[in-house]
Each structure stands twice: as C-alpha cells, then as structure tokens.
C-alpha cells in the first residue's frame, strides 16, 4: 500500500492551499480517510476525517473531501495562520467511518507534505 500526499508549499498568512492524497494497493472507497498534521516540536494531531460515504468530522477553516472515483482525498485549507505550519499527513483508516477513535484507528500513513505559512 502506498499513500502519497501533494500540494504543500510556502504560503502567506491568510492564504490557502489544496492538499491532495492518492493511494494505491487498496480499494480507496472502502475506507475512511483522514488528515493529520505535525507542527515543529509538537505531536501529530488529527485535522479531519471523512467516512467512505463522505460524512466528515471536523471542519472549520479546513475542509476535507474525497473523490472515490479518482481515489483521491483532499484538504482545502483557508485563512492560513502561522500556527498552521507543519507537515500534513494523509492516513487510511482501519474502518469505514469516523468513530470517536478515528485518530488512533489508522492502518496506513503517507510520508507527508510540508505546509509553511509565512507572515
């Protein structure tokens, strides 16, 4: 199984980025998917989760979506702040929906894509 993120980069505060994640070696539409991030010196934290049927958990400034036909997961980020800087990881859930334990029910991880927000 491979999980590959893209779309990170350097952006000014207030800006936006669209992160993408593709997978291979599994049936993308069968699993819930999630985004995590890890800021410098901090632990990795869950950003958002989306079930296989596209029910999402946690939105706000960030919006998670998926295109099962394209086997692609997205994270639309908006109004980025300096504290949003970090490495963003795509994750494949062990299950089909976003349970309360979605942050720990991860089967596969990507290598991450770096997002750097500048002032």
């Amino acid at each position: 199984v491979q999980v590959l993120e893209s779309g990170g980069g350097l952006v000014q505060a207030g800006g936006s980025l669209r992160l993408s994640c593709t997978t291979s070696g599994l049936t993308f539409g069968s699993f819930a998917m999630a985004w995590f991030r890890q800021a410098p010196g901090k632990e990795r934290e869950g950003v958002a989760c989306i079930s296989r049927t596209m029910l999402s958990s946690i939105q706000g400034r960030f919006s998670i979506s998926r295109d099962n036909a394209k086997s692609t997961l997205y994270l639309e980020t908006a109004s980025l702040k300096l504290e949003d800087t970090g490495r963003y990881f795509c994750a494949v859930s062990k299950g089909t929906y976003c349970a309360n334990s979605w942050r720990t029910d991860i089967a596969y991880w990507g290598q991450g894509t770096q997002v750097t927000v500048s002032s």
Side-chain angles (χ1 to χ4, degrees):
V1 174
Q2 290 188 326
V3 181
L4 183 64
E5 303 93 337
S6 61
L10 177 64
V11 61
Q12 286 192 326
S16 61
L17 282 175
R18 187 192 202 197
L19 307 183
S20 299
C21 170
T22 58
T23 66
S24 61
L26 55 79
T27 304
F28 178 84
S30 296
F31 301 96
M33 298 289 295
W35 285 101
F36 291 74
R37 69 182 182 186
Q38 186 167 20
K42 295 188 177 181
E43 292 188 355
R44 187 157 49 187
E45 62 176 355
V47 174
C49 177
I50 187 167
S51 74
R52 62 183 292 269
T53 56
M54 304 185 192
L55 293 176
S56 59
S57 172
I58 303 181
Q59 297 284 45
R61 291 186 295 115
F62 294 177
S63 177
I64 189 171
S65 62
R66 65 191 295 165
D67 185 334
N68 287 342
K70 295 182 179 180
S71 297
T72 303
L73 178 73
Y74 302 101
L75 185 69
E76 299 276 2
T77 68
S79 302
L80 286 166
K81 304 176 181 180
L82 296 179
E83 53 265 40
D84 293 320
T85 292
R87 194 158 187 86
Y88 285 68
F89 298 88
C90 174
V92 181
S93 173
K94 293 178 181 178
T96 60
Y97 66 99
C98 301
N100 290 336
S101 57
W102 68 266
R103 292 171 180 81
T104 56
D105 292 345
I106 301 301
Y108 304 102
W109 294 93
Q111 294 298 308
T113 185
Q114 180 67 31
V115 172
T116 302
V117 184
S118 64
S119 59

